[in-house]
Each structure stands twice: as structure tokens, then as C-alpha cells.
Amino acid sequence: MEFGNEVLKIIEGGLDKNKDKVKSYSRLLIEKLNEKGETRYAERIKRALADKSAHPVYMDEFLSKPTDQDSQMDMVDIFLPTAKDKIELVLSDVTKQKLANYVGTIQNRSKLNELGIELSEALLLYGPPGCGKTSIAQLIAQELNLPLVVARLDSMVSSLLGSTAKNIRRIFDYAKERPCILFLDEFDAIAKARTDENEVGELKRVVNSLLQNIDSFAENNILICATNHEKLLDEAVWRRFSVTIEVPRPNEDMRIQLIRLYLENMKYTFKDDSKALRKAAKALADLAPSDIRTICYNTIKSAVVSKKEYLDYIDFLYELYLFKNYKEDQVTPTIFLYNNGARQNDIARLLSISLRQVRNNLSSNGESKNGE
């Protein structure tokens, strides 16, 4: 059945006497029927919902957020994707294919169920910080046209014994009642290995509670979790995810794409200089996409402040030098810029020193240190 998941959710809501759940999934069914051209049935369902207690706007379902009873802080944030949202990511071909397969599986869930294939819709993203895990979750929400419910672990993890497990259950229950994607970032904070001798018994009970909630939630709902410390996760946690995707630091070709992406709104002289772009990408080795974005934006900001209409290659290199927090002297930047492809005349101009001084700096002992 093409809309089997929505129908099942509506039935569950009715049996549980959960009017909000019935309305939420009925509205989602209306949207899908309209997309398929079944406007007649969509209108009939819409009329059935048009009573005095119906919410005027679908997104009103997300206004009443669960809160931590101790701090009274909201435990979730809501990301509502729209057609105007522009989420551009530079990912490896392997990562792109895995994400496409994951999204495609969800989009064809009803057909797969008819074939007797029922899989958990739980996805685990792991890798270094700043490499795009949160952006990937937002991109998936945009492609599936579903709100992203982002759990706030700072308010979920309570200092009171037993409260953290209760907060976890309340967040899962909240996400169950409405069509959405539940996203747990910094997942290792509540999913650490229960064999860790440094953890107290309360946190081990939290993991047990988490596993139970994942089992009951992921069967018919969409769960995405992300961690920077995958080695800290409990072994049983890994088995709860039907799909795991590593999001590593970008390779050299991807770093060039990131430079082009983040400098696209500014004129820069090395745009078509493949040699300079390749050198820049090598200089950015081991940095995350968020770091590369910061360096590019800092370069643009410096150009705007200096009233420059375009960026030179050395401008970009100097912002990279500042980002890496090398020593603030005259010799170190000279060597760093030169070793990464800047010309001596450009170095003299940028640092406001003579060409002779540039050559003296390059012949100093600092050159062997490669500017570090």
C-alpha cells in the first residue's frame, strides 16, 4: 500500500486516543495524495479534519516543545525546511551514494513493506567535528520535506538521578506523535559504552533506556544520530542502526570544491588557476569544511574592509596563516607564504617590507621549519 505508513500512524493515533497524532499524519497524507493527483480523496480527508479543534496551521504541531522539568529549558529545536533553503554540501561520491540510498529507501518504504522488507529507519553519522553531519541531517529533512526535531543534549542530560532517562523518553514520545525526523547530535553523550569504568551507574541506566526507546521508535519513524567520537559508543548502540555513514575530512579535490563554493560570491584572481587552487588545497590539508569556510569568509571580510574588489591568492594564504595561529613575527609568515606558492614581490607588498628583507627572512633558520 503506497500510503501504508501514514494510514498505520493514523490508526495507531486513533487507538491511543491521540487526536494530535491523527491530525498530524492525516495532514501528511493529504499532502502526499495531492502530490499524486488524488485531490478528491485529499479534499475529503481535509473536510473531515475541519472541526473546531483542528489546528489552523500544520506547523503549529511543533510549538509545544518538551521541556526539562528541572531547568524548564526546551529540550528540542525545530528546523523547518523550505524550498528556499539552500543546503550545499561537498561530499565524496561514496557518501553521496549512501545518502541517496538511505533517502530512497524511506521514499519507497511502503513498497518495500509490501515485499516483506521492514527495516529500521535509523541512520548514524560519524566522523570529525565540522565535516557536515548536522548539515546532512538538514539536507535529508529537506529532501523528505519533513521537519527536523533536533534534541538539545545540554537540556536533556539532567543532574538529577533518573531525570535524564525520563527526558530521553519524553523526546522520543514527542517525535512519535508527529511526522518528523528526530536528530540526536553529540550522540556519544548519552550512548557511551556501558563497560567504561569511569561512568557511574546512572549513565549506564541511561544507555539502557536509550536502547529501548530506539527499538520502539526506529521501527516506523526516522531517527538520525551523529557523533564525533564513534569509538565511545556502546556496542549495542551500533546494532540499532540499519545505516552507518562515515563523514570524513575532505580530500584534496573536495577542498578545491569547497574553496570555489565559499568564494563564489567574490571575485578572486586565482579562480581559473588550477595550479594555485591545488596549492591552496594542499595547504588546507587536515582541515574540516567548517574551517575552510571560516578561512574563506575571513578572506572576504578582510577584502571588504580594505575596499578591495577582488582577492589575490596571497590574501587567502595569509588568512590561512592567521587561522593556524602561527608565531606573530616577520620571518614566520614570510616562510609560510613562500612555501605555499606566494611570490616574493607579493609577500613584500602584503607584509609592507622590502624585497631584500623577504629574501633575508627566507634565508633564515625559520625556512627549515616550514613556517611552523
Side-chain angles (χ1 to χ4, degrees):
M1 182 178 179
E2 187 171 3
F3 307 110
N5 185 67
E6 289 72 26
V7 172
L8 178 61
K9 291 293 185 180
I10 294 169
I11 294 172
E12 288 177 352
L15 294 174
D16 294 337
K17 297 182 180 180
N18 188 333
K19 185 180 289 187
D20 286 340
K21 185 173 183 178
V22 172
K23 290 178 180 178
S24 293
Y25 280 95
S26 294
R27 290 187 177 92
L28 181 61
L29 180 57
I30 290 170
E31 292 177 7
K32 291 192 172 184
L33 286 169
N34 281 324
E35 289 175 0
K36 293 293 185 178
E38 300 287 350
T39 57
R40 180 182 174 187
Y41 291 105
E43 187 60 30
R44 289 178 64 183
I45 298 173
K46 186 176 181 180
R47 286 199 301 269
L49 290 176
D51 55 40
K52 294 181 180 179
S53 61
H55 297 305
V57 182
Y58 169 73
M59 292 309 174
D60 284 354
E61 304 285 350
F62 293 90
L63 295 180
S64 179
K65 302 176 184 177
T67 58
D68 175 55
Q69 293 181 349
D70 179 38
S71 65
Q72 294 303 306
M73 291 176 59
D74 287 342
M75 292 192 295
V76 299
D77 292 320
I78 310 298
F79 170 75
L80 303 175
T82 67
K84 295 180 180 180
D85 291 324
K86 186 179 181 181
I87 301 175
E88 292 188 79
L89 297 176
V90 175
L91 303 169
S92 69
D93 291 339
V94 172
T95 302
K96 288 179 183 177
Q97 186 59 52
K98 287 184 176 180
L99 287 175
N101 288 343
Y102 176 73
V103 172
T105 297
I106 295 174
Q107 292 172 332
N108 292 278
R109 179 167 47 191
S110 296
K111 186 173 182 179
L112 290 170
N113 289 345
E114 290 177 8
L115 296 172
I117 301 174
E118 296 185 5
L119 298 174
S120 165
E121 306 298 353
L123 165 66
L124 176 64
L125 303 169
Y126 65 95
C131 289
K133 294 183 288 297
T134 300
S135 297
I136 287 174
Q138 293 176 341
L139 180 64
I140 292 172
Q142 186 180 60
E143 292 189 1
L144 295 176
N145 194 28
L146 286 172
L148 186 71
V149 175
V150 184
R152 296 179 54 180
L153 294 185
D154 58 342
S155 57
M156 182 196 302
V157 179
S158 174
S159 59
L160 299 179
L161 289 177
S163 293
T164 299
K166 291 179 181 177
N167 286 344
I168 291 173
R169 184 172 64 252
R170 291 177 64 205
I171 288 176
F172 274 92
D173 288 344
Y174 172 82
K176 279 182 182 178
E177 293 178 0
R178 45 193 50 81
C180 67
I181 299 171
L182 178 58
F183 179 51
L184 304 182
D185 201 0
E186 300 179 13
F187 188 53
D188 50 277
I190 56 172
K192 286 185 179 179
R194 287 166 290 184
T195 56
D196 189 344
E197 296 179 356
N198 296 319
E199 296 297 349
V200 298
E202 166 63 11
L203 289 182
K204 294 179 181 179
R205 286 191 290 272
V206 165
V207 175
N208 291 333
S209 174
L210 176 66
L211 294 175
Q212 293 171 4
N213 279 283
I214 290 178
D215 287 339
S216 63
F217 180 85
E219 183 177 349
N220 294 305
N221 302 278
I222 304 172
L223 174 67
I224 301 177
C225 298
T227 178
N228 302 331
H229 307 286
E230 67 276 6
K231 293 182 180 179
L232 298 179
L233 298 182
D234 192 277
E235 288 186 8
V237 169
W238 283 93
R239 294 195 293 270
R240 263 59 184 188
F241 294 92
S242 59
V243 181
T244 60
I245 300 178
E246 181 180 8
V247 188
R249 290 187 176 89
N251 60 31
E252 190 171 299
D253 289 335
M254 291 166 63
R255 295 196 292 271
I256 291 177
Q257 293 179 54
L258 287 165
I259 294 172
R260 293 187 182 278
L261 173 63
Y262 295 131
L263 293 182
E264 66 177 353
N265 294 324
M266 187 73 181
K267 296 178 181 178
Y268 55 105
T269 57
F270 56 101
K271 181 177 182 179
D272 298 317
D273 188 341
S274 59
K275 186 176 180 180
L277 286 170
R278 188 65 60 182
K279 287 182 178 179
K282 290 182 183 298
L284 294 169
D286 298 325
L287 292 182
S290 61
D291 298 327
I292 297 173
R293 179 183 59 200
T294 297
I295 293 165
C296 289
Y297 286 177
N298 285 346
T299 308
I300 294 174
K301 286 191 290 185
S302 296
V304 171
V305 171
S306 302
K307 301 187 183 326
K308 294 185 63 173
E309 295 184 359
Y310 57 86
L311 305 175
D312 289 321
Y313 176 61
I314 195 171
D315 298 325
F316 178 84
L317 283 182
Y318 190 62
E319 290 299 331
L320 172 57
Y321 170 82
L322 295 176
F323 179 85
K324 290 193 172 185
N325 292 315
Y326 289 143
K327 291 187 297 183
E328 295 185 11
D329 58 15
Q330 192 182 86
V331 175
T332 309
T334 302
I335 296 171
F336 176 85
L337 295 170
Y338 182 75
N339 284 347
N340 285 287
R343 296 178 300 183
Q344 293 184 21
N345 285 334
D346 291 334
I347 296 173
R349 173 184 55 80
L350 180 73
L351 300 180
S352 299
I353 59 178
S354 67
L355 185 58
R356 176 180 293 181
Q357 186 61 54
V358 170
R359 290 168 179 164
N360 289 339
N361 291 345
L362 293 175
S363 63
S364 69
N365 292 332
E367 185 175 4
S368 63
K369 296 179 181 180
N370 198 28
E372 296 183 4

